[in-house]
Every structure is written in C-alpha cells, then in structure tokens.
Amino acid sequence: MNTPPLKTVRFGGNVVATLAKFKQGDTSDYELLKHQLADPDIKDAQIINWLQEFRNCVTQLSKDHEQLIYLVLRLPWLGRSPAVVEEYLAFLSNLVSAQTVYLRACLKMVVSNFTPKRVKICEGGVDISDSDDDDENLPINFDQCHQALQLIARYVPSTSRFLMPILTENFPFVQKSSRTLECYVHNLLRVAVYIPSLQRHVLELIISRMLKLDVSASRGEIEEVENAVQQQEMKGEQEEEGLFDMDEDVCSVKSSPAGTNVMVHPVAERLDTLMVVLLAFIKDMCHVNGCLDVEQTKDLYKDLVCVFDKLILPTHASCHVQYALFYLCSFRLALAEAFLEHLWRLLQSPSHPAVLRQSAAGYMGSFLARANFLPVATVCACLDLLVPWLHLYIDSQDSGSRAYCDIMLHGPFYNACQAVFYTLIFRHRSILEGDMKKGLAYLQGLNLERIVMCQLNPLKVCLPAVTNMFAAITRKYQLVFCYTIIERNSRHVLPVVRSSVGGDCVSTNTNPLDSFFPFDPYVLKRSSKLIEPLYQVWEEPADTEVETFTTKRVRQCSDADEDDFLRGETPETKGVMGMTPGSYESHLHSPSSVGSPPIAFLQRPF
C-alpha cells in the first residue's frame, strides 16, 4: 500500500462507506480517498464515478469534511469531456443547495479560473512564473466557469453578496501581463451581465484598478516613450537601406517594426487593453441587434456616473479612463446633456468640496470643447448657465471684503472662468458660422469684459495658454481687450504655492489652479479607434493675427503645461452635428437664471 495506486485502479470502498468508517474513527479509507482525488493524472471516468458518489451523500458532507471537499473542488474539470463538465456542475448545484457552508469555497474555485493558468518558464537558468497565454481552451473554460456561476446563483439567491468580495480579492495585480488583466476584466464584465445587481460594483472595481494604471503613466511620458522607439525604428530602417540597397538580389533583412497597435510603454499597453474591453462592454450593453436599448443604456449611464463621482472625479490628472463616459455619451444627445447637467449641479453646489467643484468645471469645459457630437445649441445652453453664474458670483463678491484674487477663496469661480474661456476657444467658430451677426450678438451678450475686468482677476490664475488664446480670439472679434490686464499680471509675481506632486515649494507656477483638461488628446492606440471619430481636434491657425500673438505667447509657457492646442494650433472648423443657422437662435438673447435649469434639455427624458 506504500506504492502509488495505478491510474486505472480504484482502491477502497465507495464514498458512503468511507464516510461511515471515518465517523467511527477509521481514517484509512478516508486518507486513501483523498490521495486518489489529488492524483494529477486522474481519468475522466474516475472523476465521473467519484462525483456521482459524492452527489448521493451530499447531505453528509458537513464542515467536518472540509479538506475532502476542497480536494473535490480542485478536480481538473475544466476542458474535460462534456460528461465530466455536466457531472461537475450537477455536483456543485447539489453541494451549494445542501451545504451552503461551502458557497464561498465554490465561488473561489470558479473565480480562480478567470485568468490563464500560471506556468513556469525557464529563462537563463531562472524559473519565472507567467500566464499560459497560448491555452487554446481558454474561451471554452471561461464559458464553463460562467455556466457554473449562473447555476450557483440560481440555487443560492444570496450569491451576489458573497461573490463581490471574492472578485475583489482575486483581481490580479496591475503589474501582471496584459493578457491576464484582459481575461479577468472580461470575465468580471460577463458576470455583470447575468447578475445585474453587481454591475455598478464590478464597474467600480475595474475602474479603480484602471485608474491606478492611468495616473502612473502621464500622457507626456507615454508619448515620449512611443516617439523614442519610433525614431529608433526609423533610424534603423534608414541604416539598413543604406547597407543593402546596392544589391538587388539580396533579400531585405529589415526588421519589421513593432505592431502599430501595440504600445511600447508597458503601463500604457495594459491600460489600452483594458480600455478596449471596457468600451466593447459599453457598446454591447447599450445596443441590441445594432439598435440602442434605451433602458439598458440608462441603467449603465447611472452606474457609470456613480463610479465617476466616487472615483474618477476626485482623481487628479487621469488621462484615459474618463473616456468611458465620453464614449457612452456619444450614443445619444440626451446622455451627453444629462452628463453636462450633472457636472453643472456639482459645480454650483456649495455643499460639495471646492476641489470637486473645480474638477467638475474642468470636466464641463473640456467636454464642451472636445465632444464633436455636441450641437452648438447645447454648447450655448451650457454657456447660458455658466456665464450668468459667474456674473452672480462677481455681484456677491465685488462689494465684499474678499473681492481680490485668491485661489483658495474663489477656486470654483476661477475654474468656471477657465471652462468658459476654453469652450469659447474651441467653439467660437461654430457659434459664429452660419449667421455672423447673430453669433456676435450672442457673444457680446455674454458680457465677457465684466468677467475679465472684475477685481477677482481670473486672467491671472487661468492657464497662460488658455488666457493667451482667449485674448487673441476676443480681440479679433472685438469682444474683450485682455492685453493690458495680461501685461499687468505678468509684472506681479504669483504667490508661492506648493507643487501638486509634492516636494518643496516653488516660486514660479504656470498652473496655479492645479487644473487639467480631462479630455485632452487620447494616446492609447487600439482603443483610440473608437474615440477619434467623436473627438474635436485642432488644425493650424487660419488667422495670421491670432497665430502671431499666440505663437509669441505660447513660447513663454513651460513644456510641462503644453497640450496639443498650446503648440500653436487652433480648433478644427468642421461642422458640428445637429447645427443649423437657426438652431441656436432661441439661445442668443434669452437670459438664464442661475440656480434653476433654464433650458429644455435639463428636463428632457432619455
């Protein structure tokens, strides 16, 4: 009995008899049973035989037999014959129904198979652990895992309450391979489909992990790495052409460059992979047979907005994760308008922390500027909310003791000013084209001069590049003359502030508001294919007067603060969807009362 049993031979009695002996104190057959269950080369017929016997005595498998059950749960059932899979699923159903004490163990077993199995690879005499990315059975295995989870959820209504902590605990470290993270996130989202009550929690878990990747690799860092590799490849190609182009008979030994869809930056590659999965989920959940499912879309929007408020909005300088909501809003104008309304309510609410209100203003301005699916009527409607609010704020401060430039006191005001300036930089042509006279009358009616000239002095704290471009555009159309104020501000040193990234205090600061534009250019390669058609980009300046001034001014800004339009470019002039010459006429001269929604889209149903 000291030698291992043969693979085709079974020793000991049946499970019922073995459990009876164990209860009487005889553990020999019990230990033999455990030994046979742990056999790595166990055959399909043996697995089926064991499972059938366990099903017959499932009521006897109490907590005393915990180790035995754990061995059964570790049986290699995935990817086996249909008979094995069917018998194993039947066993799981019986076990969780009769012995709920094993519910967590069953859930852990299923979730542990949401990623490729780890294999040891020997490189340079060193064993390293990695995921088995070449397993062709992965799709089938994942299908069987979800079949098991759905069965368990059907028999145990409280499954979702126990499942979510397990999904969180088993989430791979963000440093794992792209394939491992992709598989796990894909499977999490599949769970959210057939257990809808977990959708918000699953999205929160996924986005929290993606944000860790997002903030650990800035847009500038990703672009620097990608450009450096691209230049090296181009240099290598030129050298090889010089070496081999003299002999036409010699085959080219030019090494093919890295795939155009693969990010060289490892963090960016992982994030790009996850963004592809998340955006695909959003599209599939919102569309049925190619048509938008309004109810499912509303539910997903509500969940994403909750996650946005909890995780994305408070996260400073995330570059890509927020585009999940940007993408969803492109499906229907009412979604985009609902998102803008949500941001507006956050901005004007004094009950929210100032830092969140400032972030909401940044999102609002960036969304208005960059979402090319927004019609000009919606842009004007939002300006009709923001600008009167700024005027009311000035009214409340100009006569008080706090009527001076102070970021700590007036942060939301300054960010709202910057949102208005930024929006006008991008959208002024859309407002003006079609009917220049009405467009100019609308812009003049905003009374931007009062905002610029007020004692709170927003031009002093807004980003220099935004200030300079806004000054050039408003001078061109004779709306505001900002240069005197800009020159005066440049002669005054800004107060010493602490860097947002830590470290010692700095005496010069080109971004006093610590602001960023959430929808700056998207640089992840694969997922960008879904974002680019929705995105408002910049072109070279068409107006010499604007170009001359902004080129001179922008050179004074530090490289750290540059985004695409800061490099001397101006907004693209393509038409905005839904715009007609009279589509915004009703907004040109209608006053808006701050505090109550003055525009129809704030009450429009989906």
Side-chain angles (χ1 to χ4, degrees):
M1 294 298 294
N2 291 330
T3 58
L6 296 175
K7 303 298 182 292
T8 55
V9 178
R10 170 177 166 178
F11 293 96
N14 59 38
V15 174
V16 175
T18 301
L19 295 179
K21 287 184 179 181
F22 178 79
K23 191 173 183 180
Q24 295 172 0
D26 184 357
T27 62
S28 57
D29 282 359
Y30 194 83
E31 294 300 323
L32 181 60
L33 173 60
K34 288 164 60 179
H35 182 77
Q36 292 179 89
L37 288 171
D39 183 1
D41 297 320
I42 192 169
K43 305 297 183 184
D44 285 11
Q46 292 173 306
I47 293 177
I48 294 172
N49 185 261
W50 287 123
L51 291 174
Q52 288 174 344
E53 291 191 27
F54 274 108
R55 287 177 61 195
N56 292 332
C57 60
V58 70
T59 56
Q60 301 177 40
L61 300 174
S62 63
K63 188 71 172 175
D64 296 334
H65 304 293
E66 188 174 19
Q67 291 184 352
L68 183 63
I69 294 301
Y70 286 170
L71 286 172
V72 177
L73 292 178
R74 289 196 192 101
L75 284 172
W77 65 284
L78 289 172
R80 292 274 185 162
S81 66
V84 171
V85 174
E86 182 180 355
E87 193 64 41
Y88 195 88
L89 294 176
F91 165 74
L92 284 180
S93 302
N94 290 356
L95 181 64
V96 296
S97 300
Q99 304 287 351
T100 53
V101 69
Y102 292 117
L103 175 61
R104 282 180 56 85
C106 292
L107 294 176
K108 284 183 177 180
M109 179 275 299
V110 176
V111 173
S112 69
N113 290 293
F114 276 3
T115 54
K117 291 298 180 185
R118 296 172 67 181
V119 295
K120 285 189 175 181
I121 305 171
C122 184
E123 288 188 2
V126 179
D127 288 338
I128 60 174
S129 178
D130 199 358
S131 61
D132 185 8
D133 296 340
D134 298 325
D135 189 350
E136 296 179 355
N137 294 323
L138 275 181
I140 297 175
N141 293 352
F142 292 155
D143 288 343
Q144 292 168 353
C145 285
H146 290 289
Q147 191 178 353
L149 261 186
Q150 287 174 276
L151 271 177
I152 294 172
R154 185 186 309 165
Y155 285 102
V156 185
S158 61
T159 293
S160 59
R161 184 160 57 91
F162 293 93
L163 179 58
M164 199 59 224
I166 293 171
L167 295 175
T168 304
E169 293 166 8
N170 284 267
F171 202 105
F173 293 118
V174 291
Q175 291 86 1
K176 289 290 185 180
S177 69
S178 295
R179 179 62 170 159
T180 296
L181 292 170
E182 178 186 22
C183 289
Y184 196 79
V185 168
H186 173 80
N187 286 313
L188 284 185
L189 293 171
R190 285 187 66 175
V191 171
V193 173
Y194 56 80
I195 309 182
S197 61
L198 289 183
Q199 179 173 271
R200 182 177 301 179
H201 302 289
V202 166
L203 288 171
E204 183 179 326
L205 172 60
I206 292 171
I207 288 175
S208 68
R209 297 302 196 271
M210 291 175 66
L211 280 171
K212 290 183 178 179
L213 290 169
D214 204 0
V215 299
S216 66
S218 68
R219 181 182 289 103
E221 179 186 335
I222 294 172
E223 289 180 321
E224 183 180 351
V225 171
E226 299 297 325
N227 291 337
V229 171
Q230 187 177 10
Q231 290 174 2
Q232 288 178 359
E233 290 176 349
M234 292 175 61
K235 183 178 179 181
E237 289 174 6
Q238 292 171 357
E239 291 176 352
E240 290 172 1
E241 287 174 0
L243 284 172
F244 296 103
D245 60 2
M246 292 183 294
D247 188 352
E248 296 180 0
D249 295 329
V250 178
C251 295
S252 173
V253 297
K254 207 188 300 183
S255 60
S256 60
T260 55
N261 288 331
V262 177
M263 304 293 294
V264 180
H265 194 292
V267 174
E269 170 62 20
R270 291 195 286 271
L271 184 59
D272 194 14
T273 300
L274 298 187
M275 284 298 298
V276 169
V277 176
L278 181 58
L279 296 180
F281 168 79
I282 291 172
K283 183 179 180 181
D284 291 345
M285 286 297 292
C286 295
H287 295 83
V288 177
N289 297 324
C291 298
L292 190 72
D293 186 307
V294 175
E295 291 305 315
Q296 285 191 184
T297 302
K298 285 173 64 176
D299 291 341
L300 180 59
Y301 169 80
K302 291 174 184 176
D303 287 342
L304 269 179
V305 166
C306 287
V307 177
F308 171 83
D309 287 347
K310 184 175 181 180
L311 298 176
I312 300 177
L313 186 67
T315 301
H316 182 67
S318 61
C319 301
H320 300 96
V321 176
Q322 56 264 28
Y323 274 93
L325 205 48
F326 185 95
Y327 180 63
L328 175 62
C329 288
S330 71
F331 294 165
R332 195 182 183 102
L333 180 58
L335 292 171
E337 293 174 341
F339 181 53
L340 287 166
E341 177 194 359
H342 179 72
L343 293 171
W344 162 242
R345 294 189 186 281
L346 286 173
L347 167 62
Q348 66 167 344
S349 172
S351 62
H352 287 87
V355 65
L356 293 185
R357 297 172 64 194
Q358 291 176 223
S359 184
Y363 271 92
M364 195 171 184
S366 193
F367 189 75
L368 288 169
R370 295 295 196 174
N372 67 13
F373 48 85
L374 289 179
V376 70
T378 300
V379 175
C380 290
C382 289
L383 289 174
D384 287 341
L385 290 174
L386 286 166
V387 174
W389 183 82
L390 294 176
H391 286 302
L392 284 179
Y393 192 91
I394 293 171
D395 290 340
S396 68
Q397 298 295 327
D398 260 0
S399 58
S401 59
R402 304 196 302 176
Y404 55 89
C405 184
D406 190 311
I407 299 171
M408 299 301 295
L409 288 176
H410 310 297
F413 169 81
Y414 291 126
N415 277 90
C417 287
Q418 184 162 267
V420 170
F421 300 161
Y422 193 68
T423 300
L424 288 173
I425 289 169
F426 272 84
R427 297 294 191 175
H428 70 280
R429 290 183 181 176
S430 298
I431 295 173
L432 294 172
E433 66 185 3
D435 192 328
M436 177 70 78
K437 184 177 179 181
K438 288 183 178 179
L440 279 175
Y442 171 73
L443 293 177
Q444 289 166 355
L446 295 177
N447 195 6
L448 298 170
E449 184 175 9
R450 181 170 183 256
I451 297 172
V452 169
M453 300 292 184
C454 74
Q455 296 182 48
L456 300 180
N457 195 3
L459 294 184
K460 184 174 183 179
V461 294
C462 290
L463 280 174
V466 174
T467 298
N468 295 328
M469 185 68 77
F470 175 75
I473 290 170
T474 52
R475 178 177 68 173
K476 173 180 169 62
Y477 297 105
Q478 298 184 13
L479 297 171
V480 187
F481 294 94
C482 304
Y483 301 144
T484 304
I485 297 176
I486 292 175
E487 293 299 334
R488 185 184 65 201
N489 288 337
S490 67
R491 292 194 294 268
H492 291 79
V493 179
L494 288 171
V496 174
V497 295
R498 183 168 294 277
S499 170
S500 63
V501 295
D504 298 330
C505 293
V506 291
S507 58
T508 58
N509 184 11
T510 54
N511 187 5
L513 287 173
D514 205 16
S515 58
F516 76 109
F517 297 103
F519 299 113
D520 267 358
Y522 193 94
V523 298
L524 303 179
K525 293 181 180 178
R526 292 191 300 280
S527 49
S528 67
K529 293 177 181 178
L530 294 173
I531 303 300
E532 285 173 357
L534 315 171
Y535 194 73
Q536 180 80 12
V537 296
W538 286 88
E539 290 180 342
E540 289 297 323
D543 303 303
T544 307
E545 182 182 7
V546 174
E547 182 180 7
T548 303
F549 179 77
T550 54
T551 302
K552 171 186 169 185
R553 286 287 175 182
V554 166
R555 283 172 184 161
Q556 300 173 7
C557 303
S558 67
D559 292 339
D561 291 319
E562 287 193 359
D563 68 275
D564 63 337
F565 100 86
L566 302 186
R567 294 171 186 145
E569 299 175 342
T570 52
E572 189 179 18
T573 57
K574 65 180 179 181
V576 181
M577 182 179 67
M579 187 202 70
T580 60
S583 63
Y584 56 91
E585 183 174 354
S586 60
H587 297 288
L588 294 182
H589 303 290
S590 60
S592 301
S593 59
V594 177
S596 61
I599 47 182
F601 81 71
L602 295 186
Q603 291 92 21
R604 185 187 303 171
F606 279 90

